[in-house]
Amino acid sequence: MSAGDFQQPDRAAEETVAFLLALRERGIRDTALLRAMEMAPRPLFAPRRLGDLARADISLPLSCGQTMTAPRIIATMVAALKVLPEHRVFEVGTGSGYQSAVLGRLAAQVVSVERYRTLALAAAERLATIGLSQVLVLPGDGLSAETVAGQRFDRIMLNGSVAGEIPVSLLARLDPGGLLVGAQMHGGEPQLVRVTRQETEEGEPAFVREILGTIRLPPLAHGVARVL
């Protein structure tokens, strides 16, 4: 076995270490989150032609006109979601499946909905490749929550921004004490928001919204894509 046989694994390990150090330098210090991002091999989820940029802190173009969110933004959103090992998580916008993989390393179960069937099938295949059977990817309209009608979740992640109010149908999927994290357009730019479901003294749900800062996320679209 030649020295060249070791170069690729060594290079991958070095790039992973640099990737994690870069996230720490950008303020991501949650060790469980960093471990989850280490265990979700981002190059597997990136377009093959852009594999050399997979660990760079930039968004990457996907098929169907979609985007693979930059690692720092994913880390910021997942940290805000405060996922615990016993949680069930609902994700809107699977994309490549990378964020689903990160969530799957942190939670007991993840249900992710993608409006483009092509992306959903490809993401499911990648997740199966790394043994994440606790992540279920479904094609459908995640913003309507019809795909998971009757189900409740501890956490909901919107992998994108919404132009108006967060749909009531999504908030209704939260268990008491549950959190939703996503982006809403405010003042012409997307703001990262966290919504907590609380209960009034009368037992009615009440939703408390926090604005966590400006974030760059593409818009989420309603409906199931007719093609792709």
Side-chain angles (χ1 to χ4, degrees), residues 33-218:
L33 172 55
L34 289 169
R35 177 61 175 162
M37 296 187 77
E38 178 185 6
M39 294 177 68
R42 189 168 168 85
L44 173 66
F45 295 88
R48 184 169 299 179
R49 71 185 188 281
L50 300 174
D52 58 333
L53 298 174
R55 295 184 180 89
D57 192 24
I58 57 174
S59 299
L60 299 176
L62 299 174
S63 59
C64 306
Q66 302 305 293
T67 302
M68 186 177 184
T69 307
R72 179 172 53 86
I73 294 177
I74 288 177
T76 299
M77 294 176 67
V78 175
L81 199 61
K82 301 180 181 180
V83 180
L84 297 177
E86 67 270 20
H87 284 161
R88 295 186 73 232
V89 180
F90 178 44
E91 178 188 32
V92 179
T94 312
S96 71
Y98 175 69
Q99 183 167 268
S100 312
V102 174
L103 292 169
R105 295 295 184 187
L106 294 169
Q109 183 184 23
V110 178
V111 178
S112 185
V113 176
E114 171 57 53
R115 67 189 299 265
Y116 289 97
R117 183 175 294 274
T118 299
L119 291 179
L121 293 174
E125 184 175 339
R126 296 185 190 103
L127 291 161
T129 297
I130 57 175
L132 280 175
S133 58
Q134 66 270 40
V135 181
L136 174 64
V137 180
L138 301 171
D141 180 4
L143 288 176
S144 75
E146 290 180 359
T147 310
V148 291
Q151 297 188 52
R152 290 287 191 88
F153 298 89
D154 303 289
R155 300 289 187 265
I156 296 177
M157 173 69 78
L158 305 185
N159 194 8
S161 62
V162 293
E165 294 297 321
I166 294 171
V168 174
S169 60
L170 279 181
L171 296 176
R173 302 274 68 81
L174 278 176
D175 269 330
L179 303 177
L180 178 149
V181 169
Q184 282 183 281
M185 296 301 296
H186 182 74
E189 56 186 2
Q191 299 285 332
L192 184 63
V193 297
R194 179 168 57 206
V195 181
T196 304
R197 174 172 177 164
Q198 300 178 351
E199 301 295 306
T200 66
E201 293 182 358
E202 293 76 22
E204 296 296 324
F207 299 99
V208 179
R209 188 180 74 156
E210 306 169 71
I211 297 178
L212 305 179
T214 303
I215 193 167
R216 296 182 63 182
L217 282 173

